[in-house]
Each structure stands twice: as C-alpha cells, then as structure tokens.
Amino acid sequence: MKKIVLSLLVLVITLNLPAQTIDEPINLTTKTGELKGTLLVPEAVKKFNLIILQAGSGPTDRNGNNPLGVKAKSYRLLAEALVQKKIAVLLIDKRGVGASAIAGRAEQDMRFDDYVNDLADWAALMKKDKRIKKMIIAGHSEGSLVGMIAAQKINVDKYISISGIADPIDRVISWQLKQQSPPMSLLADSMFNRLKEGKKLDSIPPALFMLLRPSVQPYMASWMKYNPCEEIKKLALPVLILQGSTDIQVTEEEGHKLHACNPKTSLVIISGMNHVLKEAPADRKKNMATYNDEKLPIKPELV
C-alpha cells in the first residue's frame, strides 16, 4: 500500500512540474540564403499547437532584442511562458537580421513583401511537421501587418495581432512626428505623398534623413501601400487583437480601431503593458527603462 501511495505521489509531482523547453534549430532555404529560427517545444509532448511569432520593425531579432537599444528579450520570454502551456513557438530572425543576415538583400532592394513572403514560407515549412495540431500566426508591431497579409496567403488556423497599428505607416509616422514637431510632420506628409506618386526624394532635411534616406525609400513606399484596416477585413479566420494600455509607441487606440475595422475580431486591452510586452507606467522615462531589462518578466495576462 505504501508503494502505491508513493507511486501516486511521484506521479502527481511529475504532472505538476514545469514543462521543459527544448530548442530545435530550424532553417528556411531561400534564393538569397538561409533564414534561421528556433522552434521551442514542450518536452515529452507528442502533439501541440504552434505559434509562429513575427518580429517588429528594424533589426529586431528572434528574441525581441534590437541593437538600436532594445535588450528586453520579450519574444524569448513569451515563447518560454507559452511552452509551459504546452504550446510550441517558432522564433525567427528576419531576412537580414541576426543569424539570417546572410540572406539579406541590399537595403535599396528590400521590400515589405519580402517579410510577408518569408513568413508564408515559414508557415508552409512548418506544415510538414506532423506534431503540429493547429498553427497560429502572431505578429508584433510591424509584424502585425506582416502576419495579417501572410495569413491571407497560406491556410492557418488563427491570427493574433500584438501592438499592431490600424493606419498606414505614413499616417502613424506623421502622427508621431506631430507630437514632437508639427512643422516636421507637415514636411514628412509632403514627402510621403511624393513617394506614393512614385517619385524619388532627392533633397531630405537632416532631421528626416534616417527615416527617408534614399536606400530606404523603396521599402517605405512598399510598406505604405498596405492599410491594416483594409487587410484585417480580409481575414475570415479567428482573430485576436492584443494591445497594452501603456504602450508609448502604438497607442491603445490603435487596438480599438483595428477591432472596429473588423468587428468579428476579439480585442483584449492589457492594463499596464507597454510595447516590449512588460509592466510599465505611462511615464516615458520609466517606460523606456524596461526596454533594456531582460530580467523583467513579460505581462502574465499576455500569456
């Protein structure tokens, strides 16, 4: 009898142990080189749902870090937390970023659709994995729109937008500039309009050079042609929109606007969550401090 009780006790303890995370390196072959990713799976789970997480803008890597000043490790922390829920997560280095740098094109040759096509190709590759029950695309920030369009190209089960914008990127940038300098916002509007007309910008004010330097203009033009409000209307699958109330980069209003564009979606506003998916106050300085704190956990409500 004592042996039976002891065996049951061991079984109960084992069942309640945290799921161990197994990292499986995975590659996607493209015409310009291999894209690199990490598949995080729960140990000893034979079948699982998979979330493919598309990173945000700029040189943001698979872990959610960015050499321009972000060391929050948000994507890795989110993936590890989801594995505890027996959900697998694919983290990927975008074309030209991190371990996928070798597959990058020259900046003047990059287009927004490159990321869309790459994400659709990742999903197609993962469909070959017989362990996967359901596949979900999730996109953070710029990745929200990338995922939105990719989900139209390949059949997946669900889509999640995290901190995504509802307006075309030129309108968002114009709004951001207006908070700092209304005259600069008007100048940017004029330049964006010229890009929409297919014109090249030869004379760029120093304050806008990094944003609209000649080599990045083709990418900006390819990005501006997409309106997230229109793209989310095209999705017939279950859609979840997640937005943080203290996000100082993409405001809470964007989540409400995306939901209004497609009322069939589900919207969850996470109180106190900022753009790097962590607990943060509205105060800008304190909010930004979380961008470099990888030890700070992500918001549990997000998980």
Side-chain angles (χ1 to χ4, degrees), residues 24-185:
E24 298 180 2
I26 185 165
N27 301 334
L28 174 67
T29 302
T30 76
K31 292 179 179 179
T32 60
E34 286 194 332
L35 303 182
K36 307 287 186 176
T38 302
L39 179 63
L40 284 73
V41 300
E43 187 179 32
V45 177
K46 294 182 178 179
K47 294 280 188 177
F48 43 73
N49 293 336
L50 170 71
I51 291 178
I52 303 177
L53 183 57
Q54 177 70 26
S57 61
T60 303
D61 67 18
R62 74 183 85 178
N63 293 319
N65 295 333
N66 187 314
L68 301 179
V70 180
K71 299 177 182 178
K73 202 179 173 183
S74 302
Y75 301 159
R76 177 73 196 196
L77 292 173
L78 175 58
E80 290 174 349
L82 288 168
V83 167
Q84 299 305 309
K85 304 289 186 182
K86 306 294 194 299
I87 298 169
V89 181
L90 175 62
L91 301 177
I92 53 181
D93 280 340
K94 298 184 298 182
R95 178 181 296 276
V97 175
S100 299
I102 194 170
R105 305 179 193 277
E107 188 172 66
Q108 63 267 25
D109 297 325
M110 279 295 296
R111 300 294 184 272
F112 187 82
D113 294 287
D114 290 331
Y115 294 139
V116 173
N117 294 331
D118 287 343
L119 181 55
D121 288 343
W122 273 113
L125 176 65
M126 297 313 300
K127 279 182 175 290
K128 299 176 183 178
D129 192 324
K130 302 302 181 183
R131 297 171 296 175
I132 296 170
K133 296 186 294 185
K134 290 186 178 181
M135 188 180 297
I136 301 100
I137 286 179
H140 174 247
S141 193
E142 178 191 29
S144 166
L145 179 57
V146 174
M148 217 178 280
I149 302 168
Q152 299 169 36
K153 289 178 171 287
I154 187 164
N155 184 36
V156 293
D157 296 283
K158 300 177 182 182
Y159 163 73
I160 302 171
S161 168
I162 308 172
S163 307
I165 61 175
D167 291 317
I169 188 58
D170 54 307
R171 292 187 206 166
V172 175
I173 293 174
S174 180
W175 177 85
Q176 291 173 339
L177 289 172
K178 193 174 183 180
Q179 311 312 303
Q180 305 168 38
S181 171
M184 193 60 66
S185 173

Side-chain angles (χ1 to χ4, degrees), residues 183-257:
M184 193 60 66
S185 173
L186 291 173
L187 185 56
D189 283 344
S190 174
M191 292 188 162
F192 284 138
N193 287 334
R194 289 177 62 191
L195 280 181
K196 288 177 184 177
E197 295 170 358
K199 298 177 181 177
K200 184 178 178 181
L201 307 178
D202 297 317
S203 179
I204 307 165
L208 293 176
F209 187 81
M210 284 303 295
L211 175 66
L212 292 171
R213 59 191 181 277
S215 59
V216 84
Q217 288 175 27
Y219 182 84
M220 287 299 299
S222 69
W223 189 0
M224 286 190 299
K225 72 180 182 181
Y226 288 111
N227 184 335
C229 184
E230 295 303 320
E231 297 305 323
I232 202 168
K233 292 177 183 178
K234 300 174 184 177
L235 296 178
L237 69 171
V239 174
L240 173 63
I241 299 167
L242 299 172
Q243 179 59 45
S245 69
T246 55
D247 190 330
I248 56 176
Q249 290 183 246
V250 179
T251 65
E252 179 181 331
E253 182 186 3
E254 294 297 315
H256 289 286
K257 286 163 68 175

